């Protein structure tokens, strides 16, 4: 029996108030869809199948190099982070797994952590290694690189840390390791560009060798930051070439904020899918760089177009096509729980809208180069306000009709603000 | 009595088939809105007030420097362009004016053109000058600039052409002149940056002096193309400084594709409105540069956010706030009439959605820094599928429920393809 | 015996006037370099080995979609283009080969063209196919794609045209085919992203099969233009995946203007070199998009950094590393011959500067993470004004000390302006 | 008598070793320049006039939101920062002033700080306020904005802090206040765009009123970060409009890293100069965003082009044209003293190269549209390796021929590493 962080009666009470209105909206939408030949019930059932993992670090307030403005009741350890993640899943029913980040989330007792997760109805998605920071007392620095450092000791330390992450992940029930490194250079000449990638591949082979057969290694590329002249794994081309070099368990992870301006991300999705190397996603949104804003908050149509490609590949490749979904956001000015809940819903929205696209009609318009109608076919699905479907899916799965309202009504943040007093010195002294 | 290019009976027949379904959708949406406290009838009435001008040159097939692939039945002169524009307005009821471009559209008999427009129920929006091309036999070249050329004869020619445009516009009933120049430089050193703007201002004063009191001069900036190192009027800052220098009749025109990557265009709109210099828009969409794609086709949320600023300024400034709206697109792979119709509808959609924003709630969330709910307040309006409202507005105003379907059913393109055979040599030999 | 277009005596006279000053500068620079332990004579000898191909189409004046402003004495056919290319090579001694573009340059008599080239001391570099324009009377259109069209007839036509180009190239002595297609889409939905690349690969296999064993097929990617939503071969990742799929004769071509903003191009060069797929370059420069400006005119340091990667790969891979170099520029406001001469010199400058980098010292600084000195090691080479070396190399190879001055003194442009009157109707009516 | 941090004898010894070689290089360059009609002595004298301020915060190691990797011997307070700045000026003779940042550098005894600076031969440039971080115990937060906050208490606090900075600056002998705020929004809807700027202007008036008559207020714009959807002062247009609104003491500050991709920064410089609002610079370099890399390290030609505009405006406007120069960099992987020294030299290099441009010839080529020669005129100056001039200027002004070598030889960093042990807990725990 899943343990509920928020009293189930409170959620029920919330739903009771909104149910009639939801039903009316749902019926109205159902009528509109049925006039278009679409069965609302099939969509709702589809929506209920959706899940996206929540990043444990997302439960805390984020910041920039300039400052961090702490929020109230931030979780102080992985146990408290799990509690917050449980709230998110309880209310949205769309975030059944948590993605941990080591050493930040390193549990004193991994088995106990797994048990806590079980009780809360949560699983563990891919684990994430961290070789972009030095930990206190670390024997070799990552200042000039980790997996690609010219210093052998730094490389070995980074490889071993990744292997340790795999070990921890095995205990927790994870099936994937996400590897993102900040390695690169700030100045032309600082690094030998080929040499750095050779060292990366060499180090990555060491990690790959430790990977269980049923695991995947997700290689995450990023154009820039923290390296400002070049990053070793800067683009999907490099990520792809490396994944090919390593072997079938190595796949590419697409973070929506890690691309050059104007990049067509949905095409990268299509390319990686076509060549069998699409591993998964870090969902977020951005206007400038790796802004890590709430998913769908800046360009919701782009999110839809990405899911349109996923739906197309699903139709082509069937059950074997199974990329992993994770949110990866930095919540600087919102309540992290609220942002994660509404972001999960936004990603789910794009998933449902993409599943509404009339693919037969679309293929016909594409074949005959009826460009306008092909474009309108996508727009028609995107324009449809599927909010009642998402709410009904939540209701039927035991969640809240309006997760943010239910969360606020439950007073969770105020409660943890009392239980979790701010750490001394945690106030925002950013790096400049 | 307006003369209809497409037989009104055909449009009626089209509407008759779709009317019942539209009414059902409209009622369903009306119910949903009413549960949110929104009156659908007020929105429909609002939608009926909307108008955006159509560019005469948009009626032909566009191209790139690489090639142009002509379409069937392209209009061969301004008279035929007006006919196509009339079709667009007949079916959408959202494009009551046409924007002409000289010398491309220079009429043999301006008064006859005005009469044709009157009969078709069309007016004339701002006229556009062209000093980015040399005309056959032109006494001085624009190769190295027009209003900013170091050659006095070129500058004078360009000034005089603009004055001629004003004269023509007066006869046609226009009230504005849009000035866009391609002037700039391809190489560092080619042009003295301050000198070029000094000459621009000097030339612009000559044009401004010829402007009637009830006219506006729209200064259109553009980051690049055709100049590839620098453009004289490259950004809104320059446009704004020039408009201030010239006087109250000079305003700034915002083309959605004329900005640097990642630019927040809605903020430029807000800034120009705040400082009293927002003249109007060239609507289109783009992913890379000045792609001139159909409005709302790439980033519909951005279009909504622009209209959200317009609604905010309308509420602040009242009737005095009256920017001019025009489409400016290049239709390379679609039927221009279809693209212009659906683009007019897209802009109208953003207009209606922005008018749905609950501004009192929004202001409250902004005041209390409830960031998530502020963001959701905009999203709620954007997500609403107002298609039934737009269709009902068209129906009530005498247009077509589904303009593209009605247009196709009427067989207009096939008819003009016969009447307007392709010009010899007009096939696509692009510039490389 | 090479036939000289410009009277050799004129060049000699030009050189005679500048020789003493050049010698003094050369000696002064030689002294400075020798104090740094660098032998100027080795650099001059190295400079003399450099060659970059000239694009035949570059000999004419370019334009934009807005306008083309013709220059005087533009070549009217491939024979005249060859003459202009011969002038460029005569004066710079750095452009021994010409790259042709079909059907633009399709010779009536290929053997005669080859003989003309032989007489002028020119060879033929890669030939270029053109499936981005429709030719008069073409049986199937490329409006909606060529190698990737959904229309089989269009695809077959495009494949056959490429095979024809190979055939022509064989006669002319070329050893490579450059394939650039404008295929893509202007709107989301217009094209099935995976389907389009599947068709591309299928078509490309047909071309690859016709490729002689000692030829290379250069796949050229481009982010956008003429397609404005997505391009089928948009980035190096796609180009690389396709080249891998096709086989060892398929390589990737890097055009410096075909990338997203902020892209680190030298890293792409390093990646392609590392994975054995760097085919060659289209050199030019740009500030915004595919601006096709003169090489090194906007960001000369970037050009140097690219050659720094080439020098690194040369040192690693030896003689087997042999990418092909070509200029690809659009000369809208300069004399094309002057631009091509000075661009060839700019590329040669970067080549010589990169060969001056102290690679042993650099490797040491990289190994020890002496970031500042590593960066300064590159900067030191870049800062060195090698102009006297380049001029001396030209002088010793029989060219002109100052190619542009010699060209102007020879009055070549004025002479061809008489011989080559402008074509009627060729004046600039751009596409809008 | 200036107190030298590094023993003057050590510098002399360093110079003695390099003097002969420098003289030989200087003479060789002098000969080359004299053959071009340029007097090297005039350039050296010009170089000696150059100065750029050093930011106190630049003396410490910077970081990113991901991590900070501390360096050895980082200054622990403003006194130690001044010592480091003194070393930079002692060796380069190009950084006579320091720019302080409050509250980071708030001195216990301002008069004592001024005396220390006097003894070290340093002055104080503009002071910088900080309202982008909360200080411990602060009565109102800047989490949702400072000068633009909807919370009156936050706005008043921010205004008062700026007034306090002015007061401190008066005591220290500053003549300017730089105001940069991170205010903006992360999400559409979070902030009313016009309202935020209205509040900014209102707050700024309060600061402006406290400004002494001989002071300037530098308004610094920035496209994004820490705000990721919109920044209140995002571009030069907004900065300019605000400066105009405030009055003649308000000017615009240009940071080279605060612009949209592809922006032509030298044109912004020209525009602000033309309209009398160019206040000064924060020099650095970048490839992606506000990367804060060493000046001239990524795009040295851009730095030159900016100084070319400054030289042009100097020639036009004379002594009244006097923008302020400051470095603003983040040194994440280099010794900050080394980076600041070589960056000061890079900026000085651009200054000297720009002063070499033959402005009469350039104006002639511009007038006659000899585009190629105009471009080459700039390139000729940029290509000239003026390193011997810069070294001779330093030598003559009492600095070091090779500042970095002299600094390393003096063992300064090792000495302060002993004197300044790392703060506990200062190790790099970045914000994520």
């Amino acid at each position: 029996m899943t343990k509920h962080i928020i009293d189930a009666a409170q959620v029920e009470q919330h739903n009771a108030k909104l149910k009639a209105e939801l039903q009316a909206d749902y019926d109205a939408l159902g009528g509109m869809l049925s006039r278009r030949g679409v069965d609302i019930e099939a969509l709702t059932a589809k929506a209920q199948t959706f899940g996206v993992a929540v990043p444990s670090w997302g439960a805390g307030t984020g910041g920039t190099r300039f400052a961090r403005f702490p929020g109230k009741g931030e979780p102080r350890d992985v146990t408290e982070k799990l509690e917050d993640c449980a709230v998110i899943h309880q209310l949205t029913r769309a975030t059944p797994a948590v993605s941990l980040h080591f050493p930040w989330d390193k549990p004193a007792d991994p088995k106990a952590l797994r048990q806590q997760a079980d009780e809360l109805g949560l699983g563990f998605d891919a684990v994430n290694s961290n070789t972009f920071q030095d930990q206190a007392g670390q024997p070799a620095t990552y200042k000039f690189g980790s997996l690609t450092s010219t210093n052998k000791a730094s490389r070995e330390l980074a490889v071993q840390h990744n292997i340790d992450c795999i070990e921890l992940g095995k205990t927790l029930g994870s099936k994937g390791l996400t590897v993102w490194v900040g390695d690169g250079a700030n100045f032309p000449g600082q690094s030998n560009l080929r040499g750095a990638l050779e060292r990366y591949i060499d180090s990555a082979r060491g990690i790959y060798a430790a990977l269980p057969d049923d695991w995947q290694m997700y290689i995450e590329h990023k154009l820039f930051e923290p390296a400002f002249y070049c990053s070793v794994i800067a683009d999907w081309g490099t990520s792809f070439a490396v994944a090919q070099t390593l072997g079938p368990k190595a796949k590419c992870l697409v973070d929506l904020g890690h691309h050059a301006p104007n990049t067509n991300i949905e095409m990268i999705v299509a390319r990686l899918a076509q060549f069998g190397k699409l591993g998964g996603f870090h969902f977020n949104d951005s206007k400038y760089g790796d802004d890590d804003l709430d998913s769908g908050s800046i360009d919701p149509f782009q999110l839809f177009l990405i899911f349109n490609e996923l739906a197309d590949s699903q139709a082509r490749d069937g059950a074997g096509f199974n990329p992993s979904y994770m949110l990866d956001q930095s919540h600087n000015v919102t309540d992290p729980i609220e942002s994660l809940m509404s972001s999960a819903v936004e990603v789910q929205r794009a998933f449902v809208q993409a599943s509404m696209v009339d693919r037969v009609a679309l293929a016909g318009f594409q074949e005959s180069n009826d460009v306008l109608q092909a474009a309108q076919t996508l727009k028609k699905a995107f324009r449809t306000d599927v909010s009642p479907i998402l709410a009904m899916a939540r209701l039927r799965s035991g969640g809240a009709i309006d997760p943010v309202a239910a969360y606020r009504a439950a007073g969770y943040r105020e409660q943890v603000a009392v239980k979790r007093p701010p750490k001394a010195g945690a106030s925002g002294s950013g790096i400049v």
Side-chain angles (χ1 to χ4, degrees), chain A:
Chain A
M1 221 346 274
T2 299
K3 177 182 157 198
H4 284 136
I5 301 282
I6 291 181
D7 183 359
Q10 277 188 306
V11 179
E12 228 164 288
Q13 198 177 346
H14 160 88
N15 286 340
K17 267 190 272 178
L18 301 179
K19 221 170 185 170
E21 189 172 321
L22 170 60
Q23 190 66 51
D25 285 355
Y26 187 80
D27 291 345
L29 177 61
M32 291 165 91
L33 291 175
S34 119
R35 283 186 286 280
R36 283 157 55 183
V38 175
D39 174 19
I40 195 170
E41 283 302 318
L43 290 174
T44 307
K46 181 109 191 173
Q48 286 182 271
T49 67
F50 178 82
V52 58
V54 167
S56 64
W57 61 94
T61 296
T64 70
R65 65 173 164 140
F66 294 101
R68 193 180 86 88
F69 297 95
K72 278 188 229 159
E74 294 191 60
R76 296 163 301 176
D77 58 28
V78 66
T79 304
E80 293 182 354
K81 288 180 195 173
L82 271 201
E83 290 171 5
D84 289 3
C85 293
V87 168
I88 296 165
H89 187 49
Q90 180 185 357
L91 299 179
T92 64
R93 310 310 302 158
T95 60
V98 178
S99 190
L100 298 180
H101 206 289
F102 304 131
W104 297 340
D105 294 329
K106 197 169 174 176
D109 179 348
K111 284 185 191 157
L113 188 68
R114 187 168 184 175
Q115 196 183 325
Q116 184 198 1
D118 280 346
E119 286 168 9
L120 294 169
L122 295 172
F124 289 107
D125 202 81
V127 293
N128 301 264
S129 59
N130 175 342
T131 63
F132 51 84
Q133 295 178 326
D134 282 355
Q135 304 303 320
Q138 186 172 306
T141 183
Y142 297 143
K143 180 166 187 167
F144 302 103
S146 60
L147 295 178
T148 77
S149 173
T150 55
N151 182 345
K152 200 181 169 202
S154 299
R155 290 200 305 277
E156 287 176 348
L157 189 69
V159 170
Q160 187 56 50
H161 168 65
N162 274 281
I163 294 172
D164 293 347
C165 289
I166 295 171
E167 288 310 307
L168 256 173
K170 285 200 239 172
T171 310
L172 294 168
S174 287
K175 293 290 177 199
L177 170 71
T178 297
V179 181
W180 173 69
V181 295
D183 294 37
N186 272 5
F187 299 101
Q190 174 180 344
S191 173
N192 183 288
L193 302 185
R194 281 178 67 166
L197 189 59
E198 285 169 355
R199 291 188 295 273
Y200 181 90
I201 289 171
D202 187 63
S203 296
R205 283 194 210 278
I207 301 166
Y208 190 88
L211 213 62
D213 282 351
D214 60 346
W215 273 52
Q216 294 205 316
M217 179 171 166
Y218 301 115
I219 299 165
E220 183 175 1
H221 72 269
K222 184 177 181 185
L223 185 68
F224 76 102
E225 193 207 23
F228 292 118
Y229 163 65
C230 68
S231 299
V232 178
I233 310 293
D235 51 23
W236 81 266
T238 303
S239 176
F240 171 67
V242 166
Q244 270 198 330
T245 303
L246 290 179
K249 290 181 288 184
K251 297 253 173 97
C252 303
L253 187 141
V254 178
D255 182 299
L256 272 62
H258 289 190
H259 310 269
N262 301 352
T263 297
N264 186 319
I265 300 174
E266 56 269 28
M267 189 143 65
I268 293 176
V269 172
R271 295 292 173 258
L272 286 171
Q274 178 162 356
F275 294 106
K277 284 295 186 191
L278 182 64
F281 290 88
H282 274 185
F283 289 114
N284 51 53
D285 210 339
S286 58
K287 189 162 181 70
Y288 305 99
D290 185 27
D291 307 337
D292 280 332
L293 301 179
D294 289 10
S295 297
S297 61
I298 300 295
D299 190 350
F301 191 44
Q302 175 182 265
L303 188 61
F304 165 81
L305 291 173
I306 287 169
F307 272 91
N308 181 53
E309 288 311 311
L310 293 171
D312 182 67
S313 282
Q314 192 76 61
R316 286 165 170 270
D317 301 338
F321 182 75
N322 205 13
S324 139
Y325 299 154
M326 192 169 81
L327 297 173
D328 182 11
Q329 305 177 164
S330 181
H331 310 107
N332 304 353
V333 291
T334 55
D335 180 318
I337 291 176
E338 295 187 7
S339 269
L340 287 166
M341 289 194 302
S342 46
S343 297
V345 171
E346 279 311 291
V347 179
Q348 190 182 23
R349 181 187 309 276
F351 169 78
V352 172
Q353 288 174 324
S355 77
M356 287 177 62
V357 172
D358 183 340
R359 289 194 184 278
V360 174
L362 180 63
F365 293 133
Q366 289 171 342
E367 186 66 26
S368 63
N369 291 304
D370 188 342
V371 175
L372 192 112
Q373 293 293 27
Q376 290 298 326
T377 301
L378 290 191
K379 272 297 192 66
K380 197 173 187 175
F382 172 70
R383 269 180 215 136
T384 307
D385 187 354
V386 297
S387 301
I389 293 172
L390 304 176
M392 189 60 82
R394 277 191 299 275
L395 180 65
R396 292 182 183 173
S397 296
I401 290 177
D402 182 338
V404 170
Y407 165 79
R408 291 189 177 187
Y412 180 75
R413 181 60 65 193
E414 290 71 21
Q415 291 157 24
V416 294
V418 174
K419 281 196 289 188
R420 307 170 181 172
K423 285 188 242 181
S427 74
S429 56
I431 289 164
V432 174

